[in-house]
């Protein structure tokens, strides 16, 4: 599976439901992390840096509502989409879940096919490149479906690693990415790569972006990492 595939954190205390969800998400091409209670979920969020969280309301130790509340008050996780799962179907329960910060609310029993569609819909908003969408930043256009990049109309030649780096930057212009964060997103957590490798590929990306002229759109932030713009 490509290193830049989105990671979904599934938080469900019922093992059978957790495995069914995980199986279907992996079949859709997602990387899946699993948690069986609220405390484990909060720890995994820090370790896995998921792109989206599917969160059950009724959890042991720390409830899903409390997990959601904590995630939405932290600057580093505030924008991670949360899909709340619950057997509570009353309007006030839906309202409470959404007002706590959940981005979507799905009532049990649910259709797995519909839930997969809701996951993809949330990711189109937060990870457009992974969803196969076209990204634009100033005069740079990246088509993640055809793997083509142009600048001011001219086609650019990028290697696969440079393409994934550019996708990451273009999804969130202005955000400063540390070398460690770029390693996790572009190379994956299961591969050991020295952080200096990031610098090498950033240099290649800069060269590729300027191969037909134009200023360097990448910014080095001393002691922090790199950003686009």
């Amino acid at each position: 599976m490509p290193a830049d595939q989105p990671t979904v954190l599934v938080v469900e205390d019922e093992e059978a439901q957790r495995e069914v969800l995980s199986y279907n998400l992996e079949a859709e091409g997602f990387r899946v992390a699993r948690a069986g209670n609220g405390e484990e979920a909060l720890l995994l969020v820090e370790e896995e840096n998921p792109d989206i969280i599917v969160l059950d309301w009724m959890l042991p130790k720390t409830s899903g509502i409390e997990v959601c509340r904590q995630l939405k008050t932290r600057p580093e996780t505030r924008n991670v989409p949360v899909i709340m799962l619950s057997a509570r179907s009353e309007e006030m329960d839906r309202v409470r879940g959404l007002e706590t910060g959940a981005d979507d609310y799905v009532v049990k029993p649910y259709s797995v096919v519909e839930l997969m569609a809701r996951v993809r819909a949330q990711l189109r908003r937060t990870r457009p490149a992974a969803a196969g969408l076209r990204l634009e930043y100033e005069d740079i256009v990246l088509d993640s479906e055809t793997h083509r990049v142009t600048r001011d109309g001219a086609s650019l030649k990028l290697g696969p690693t440079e393409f994934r780096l550019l996708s990451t930057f273009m999804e969130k212009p202005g955000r400063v990415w540390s070398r460690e964060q770029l390693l996790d997103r572009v190379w994956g957590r299961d591969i050991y790569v020295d952080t200096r490798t990031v610098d090498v590929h950033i240099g290649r990306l800069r060269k590729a972006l300027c191969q037909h002229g134009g200023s360097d759109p990448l910014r080095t932030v001393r002691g922090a990492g790199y950003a686009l713009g």
Side-chain angles (χ1 to χ4, degrees), residues 6-10 31 33 41 44-53 71 76-77 80-81 123 127 185 189:
T7 297
V8 182
L9 173 59
V10 175
R31 179 177 176 271
L44 278 176
V45 167
E46 294 183 7
E47 293 176 5
E48 298 289 342
N49 191 28
D51 296 289
I52 186 169
I53 302 169
L71 293 175
E76 64 272 20
T77 55
V80 177
L123 286 171
R127 289 287 311 275
R185 174 62 68 87
R189 291 176 172 270

Side-chain angles (χ1 to χ4, degrees), residues 182-194:
L182 290 171
L183 281 173
D184 287 346
R185 174 62 68 87
V186 176
W187 280 266
R189 291 176 172 270
D190 301 328
I191 300 175
Y192 175 75
V193 180
D194 191 279

